[in-house]
Amino acid sequence: MSAISGIVNTHGKDCREIITAMMQSQLHRGPDDNGVFVCEDACFAHCRLAIIDPAGGKQPLVSSDGRVITVIDGEIYNYRELRRKLIGTGHNFHTESDAETLLHLYENYGAECISQLDGMFAFAIFDSQKRKLLLGRDRLGQKPLNYFMDGDTLVFASEINGLMSYPAFPAELDKEAVSNFLSLQYVPQPDTVFSNVRKLLPGHILELDLNTSHISIRCYWQADFSIKHTALNMDSATAKLRTLVEKAVEKRLAADVPIGTFLSGGVDSCIVTGIAARLLYPAPCDTFTAAFSNAAYDERDAAAQSARIINQVCGGNLRHHMREIKPADFSLAEKISSYFGEPFADASALPLYLLSQFAKEKISVALCGDGADEIFAGYERYLAMRYAEKVYWLPQGARSLIFGTLAGFLPEHGERSRCGRIKRLFKFFASPEKVGYFNLLDRCPAYIKNELFGPALDEVKDYDSSSCFTSLSWELFAKDRVEKLEELDLRTYLPGDILPKADISSMANALELRSPFLDTEVVEFAARLPMKYKLSAKRRKYILCAAFPEFITPELLQRPKRGFGAPMAAWLREMWKDQAYDKLFNSRLTADGFVRKEILEKYWDLHQQGRDFSYLLWNLIVFAFFLERQK
């Protein structure tokens, strides 16, 4: 686990000072060690969080003949197996690190080496003899990789902040990306908020040939939802899933440093923590929970109950640690925002950062439950689609009239309230099917953009942000409507929001976060399951719960699902009110004409009066944070 950066096609210039600055800006990701390598055409840098082979895993790594240079961020879980095979073909190893396995694997297989890797990773390999660069990213996008072109020079880094240390960083704003961010709270990949900076897509590789200046980007993996295990009955599928998840957790317990888990009151983290405790027994397993004083967000009692159940099942080796997350100082929220390098407004990044900080006091690696909702139909919105199918027989005009009117009657009491959830459901029913899912997630609808955007965003006032979803529709394999949403989330929400939040918030504290449910075998198996195994008439994640009955009690199943979040609506009315107002109305946001002050005042006042516009306001505050950093 680490941060990587590089400059390729240096034209013989010594870029040591620049690459060192790029590395220094990412040192929080790898405080244990760092290194720089410079050759005729390229320079690489690496800062390391030592997890595997702490003594011998220094990077950048150079092949014995000096031809191949590599840096990698992340973990290759099957590196021992690959290492044995490579030794059998005559390769000599000098360390116990997974990074060296990647280097030798490239020597054997070239760019095709990536298909053999099982893990979460972003890497760069430069072949100085062929004068070719290879960038690769893991299948689901657990580790970040950003890049841009400066003429014919390619510059890459784990984080956007690493790229910003390059003197010719292209800082022009992509205003369509700004509009997408205000709707979704993140900038969908492969775009960034900067016009000429890109994220390498999950499951993709980039190859640059310096001899011809040719760049090619291709997909090497994508979950296939078109093939189904129709002959596999529920009992057999449940048994198979149990084996795969247990194997995925076991892989991710490999570390030469202390390891633990995150535990909420939900199904996913309970399963991961239970399996980890059982596999580590009799050694202790530390698990960490974030609590809130706001009851709508607090899961301390549910997490404590899950911990008791796990201890009963696994022999009592689980050590449960809980800390209440209080409204952090507003300046801390601004600091956390800065780690993302671009606007990112999922408010749960703040408690996740503080939870990671808490866990880092005892461990360096934590397992979490990320990914289960996307692959096993865990979100309430998937159930909403099942309900929507029952009204899609109505003409669009009738649905819009009936359900739009019903939604209008319901007050804004917050998204987590029963009233708020029903209101969103009615709005979903009222939308055209093609854009219904986007509208369900849209935090800054077109009617708000039309009145809110100022002169600086006039050119995108009529831009349709739903296109970042609808443009992918032809690429989806799934046939079932709900499964299409799962697949779409694997392409957008998971790599755009969930995984960057997990990576940036944890790595800011030098904590490695691993997600067993994002194991390739687990994801591929889940994609081939019939939808009825995942989403029953009333229960989400049906097969996952059935696979681990010892941990998933009836009481846990009856708990309402609570996403990991922060009570932002209350914080903006109470303890953060003054700082939030100042940031909204005395910053570049209004001074430079990005939003109209009088319209912003309207939404601020409505929120203070009890309507819930916390998503909109927090998105704008985060954008204001970002703009201030661009001076």
Side-chain angles (χ1 to χ4, degrees):
M1 189 63 71
S2 53
I4 62 175
S5 45
I7 305 167
V8 180
N9 212 12
T10 60
H11 300 286
K13 297 176 184 175
D14 187 351
C15 297
R16 190 179 303 270
E17 185 176 339
I18 298 173
I19 198 69
T20 299
M22 293 172 65
M23 177 186 71
Q24 292 285 338
S25 68
Q26 302 177 98
L27 278 181
H28 53 275
R29 295 181 67 90
D32 296 333
D33 193 13
N34 58 77
V36 170
F37 180 87
V38 178
C39 66
E40 178 67 22
D41 289 312
C43 51
F44 280 9
H46 183 269
C47 47
R48 183 184 184 217
L49 176 62
I51 302 296
I52 301 291
D53 188 16
K58 188 177 179 64
Q59 297 184 49
L61 276 171
V62 184
S63 61
S64 56
D65 61 2
R67 179 173 69 93
V68 180
I69 306 98
T70 186
V71 285
I72 182 170
D73 171 24
E75 304 291 350
I76 301 171
Y77 299 125
N78 64 334
Y79 81 97
R80 288 188 177 92
E81 173 191 339
L82 294 172
R83 176 191 173 96
R84 285 193 297 270
K85 291 180 180 178
L86 289 163
I87 289 173
T89 62
H91 287 266
N92 295 313
F93 282 74
H94 304 286
T95 75
E96 297 295 325
S97 70
D98 55 346
E100 189 179 3
T101 301
L102 172 64
L103 188 151
H104 289 292
L105 201 66
Y106 172 81
E107 289 180 317
N108 261 28
Y109 302 102
E112 298 309 311
C113 70
I114 196 168
S115 63
Q116 298 187 47
L117 302 179
D118 175 14
M120 57 174 188
F121 52 80
F123 67 74
I125 297 172
F126 184 66
D127 189 324
S128 60
Q129 185 178 64
K130 295 180 178 179
R131 300 186 74 229
K132 289 185 177 181
L133 170 73
L134 175 67
L135 298 181
R137 194 169 177 209
D138 66 70
R139 291 163 177 79
L140 279 305
Q142 295 173 79
K143 304 308 319 177
L145 189 53
N146 304 275
Y147 68 96
F148 66 86
M149 296 298 298
D150 175 24
D152 59 358
T153 297
L154 188 144
V155 186
F156 69 86
S158 294
E159 294 184 355
I160 292 175
N161 288 337
L163 296 180
M164 288 181 176
S165 298
Y166 187 83
F169 176 78
E172 180 187 354
L173 281 185
D174 181 337
K175 294 181 180 179
E176 290 184 358
V178 171
S179 181
N180 291 339
F181 157 73
L182 290 171
S183 283
L184 296 172
Q185 302 192 286
Y186 63 90
V187 178
Q189 302 185 43
D191 297 332
T192 71
V193 76
F194 301 104
S195 295
N196 295 307
V197 180
R198 291 289 176 267
K199 301 160 186 158
L200 184 62
L201 284 169
H204 281 65
I205 60 172
L206 179 153
E207 295 181 86
L208 167 63
D209 186 338
L210 298 191
N211 300 298
T212 62
S213 297
H214 176 70
I215 289 181
S216 65
I217 300 174
R218 64 179 175 86
C219 176
Y220 70 89
W221 182 90
Q222 185 176 338
D224 187 352
F225 286 78
S226 66
I227 302 170
K228 294 301 173 189
H229 292 307
T230 52
L232 200 62
N233 63 37
M234 179 65 179
D235 288 342
S236 299
T238 301
K240 176 67 173 176
L241 177 61
R242 182 183 177 97
T243 300
L244 289 176
V245 174
E246 288 174 339
K247 180 182 173 184
V249 172
E250 184 175 18
K251 288 181 197 175
R252 286 156 183 79
L253 289 176
D256 296 324
V257 295
I259 192 165
T261 72
F262 286 169
L263 180 65
S264 70
V267 164
D268 314 329
S269 65
C270 183
I271 290 172
V272 169
T273 300
I275 298 171
R278 185 157 55 202
L279 290 171
L280 290 173
Y281 184 84
C285 177
D286 291 292
T287 191
F288 300 84
T289 297
F292 292 93
S293 57
N294 186 313
Y297 293 79
D298 189 41
E299 293 193 281
R300 76 183 77 191
D301 292 340
Q305 184 182 4
S306 291
R308 286 193 294 272
I309 292 167
I310 291 167
N311 266 330
Q312 289 168 7
V313 173
C314 298
N317 65 324
L318 188 68
R319 301 190 298 202
H320 185 211
H321 312 276
M322 187 277 294
R323 181 172 291 177
E324 185 170 313
I325 303 296
K326 297 181 179 178
D329 184 274
F330 193 71
S331 63
L332 178 60
E334 186 165 4
K335 175 187 174 183
I336 294 168
S337 174
S338 71
Y339 284 113
F340 289 87
E342 66 177 347
F344 182 88
D346 185 332
S348 60
L350 194 153
L352 183 54
Y353 173 91
L354 294 173
L355 178 60
S356 298
Q357 189 178 71
F358 173 36
K360 182 63 180 179
E361 295 172 9
K362 293 185 179 294
I363 62 175
S364 292
V365 177
L367 274 59
C368 68
D370 286 347
D373 284 318
E374 287 81 5
I375 63 174
F376 294 111
Y379 292 124
E380 192 171 57
R381 55 185 184 253
Y382 297 153
L383 200 54
M385 174 55 83
R386 275 289 177 259
Y387 295 148
E389 289 178 319
K390 300 181 185 305
V391 301
Y392 276 158
W393 61 271
L394 288 170
Q396 169 57 39
R399 282 194 288 114
S400 178
L401 177 63
I402 296 168
F403 294 106
T405 302
L406 288 172
F409 284 137
L410 295 173
E412 299 276 0
H413 285 319
E415 187 165 297
R416 295 199 175 210
S417 69
R418 181 176 177 82
C419 182
R421 286 155 54 209
I422 294 173
K423 187 180 182 77
R424 287 177 64 221
L425 184 65
F426 284 162
K427 286 182 177 179
F428 183 36
F429 290 173
S431 297
E433 184 176 355
K434 184 179 180 182
V435 296
Y437 191 51
F438 178 85
N439 291 347
L440 188 66
L441 304 177
D442 192 356
R443 308 304 187 189
C444 188
Y447 76 90
I448 292 181
K449 290 177 181 177
N450 258 305
E451 59 176 347
L452 180 67
F453 282 6
L457 292 176
D458 260 346
E459 64 193 81
V460 292
K461 187 178 289 186
D462 297 321
Y463 167 71
D464 182 8
S465 286
S466 70
S467 62
C468 61
F469 278 23
T470 56
S471 63
L472 294 174
S473 60
W474 66 274
E475 299 179 25
L476 303 180
F477 292 111
K479 303 294 188 291
D480 181 271
R481 281 190 173 104
V482 175
E483 208 162 47
K484 279 186 181 293
L485 302 191
E486 282 188 297
E487 191 176 0
L488 186 61
D489 277 343
L490 284 179
R491 303 284 296 278
T492 56
Y493 181 61
L494 183 73
D497 185 320
I498 297 297
L499 297 180
K501 175 184 65 180
D503 176 78
I504 299 294
S505 300
S506 60
M507 290 302 290
N509 293 286
L511 178 78
E512 176 173 311
L513 205 55
R514 299 176 176 178
S515 307
F517 290 117
L518 295 179
D519 184 87
T520 303
E521 287 187 274
V522 173
V523 173
E524 290 179 340
F525 182 74
R528 285 164 171 73
L529 287 173
M531 196 63 210
K532 63 183 179 181
Y533 290 0
K534 294 181 279 188
L535 185 67
S536 68
K538 294 183 179 179
R539 188 183 301 174
R540 291 163 279 162
K541 292 187 280 200
Y542 177 58
I543 190 170
L544 183 61
C545 295
F548 296 94
E550 70 271 40
F551 301 128
I552 309 305
T553 63
E555 292 79 14
L556 192 154
L557 288 174
Q558 289 166 12
R559 294 175 199 158
K561 179 176 173 60
R562 297 181 184 181
F564 186 58
M568 190 58 65
W571 289 357
L572 293 178
R573 294 188 188 107
E574 299 164 5
M575 55 286 294
W576 280 3
K577 181 178 178 181
D578 292 341
Q579 300 102 311
Y581 185 89
D582 181 65
K583 186 57 64 175
L584 286 169
F585 295 97
N586 298 300
S587 68
R588 289 186 59 195
L589 190 67
T590 49
D592 289 4
F594 286 96
V595 300
R596 301 183 187 279
K597 193 170 185 177
E598 69 279 8
I599 304 300
L600 182 55
E601 284 273 14
K602 180 182 81 170
Y603 286 105
W604 174 264
D605 290 343
L606 286 171
H607 184 76
Q608 300 307 317
Q609 293 162 15
R611 302 271 303 273
D612 188 355
F613 286 99
S614 58
Y615 282 109
L616 172 65
L617 296 173
W618 182 242
N619 290 359
L620 292 169
I621 289 168
V622 168
F623 187 46
F625 288 158
F626 167 78
L627 291 172
E628 291 296 300
R629 297 195 300 272
Q630 304 313 301
K631 288 183 177 179

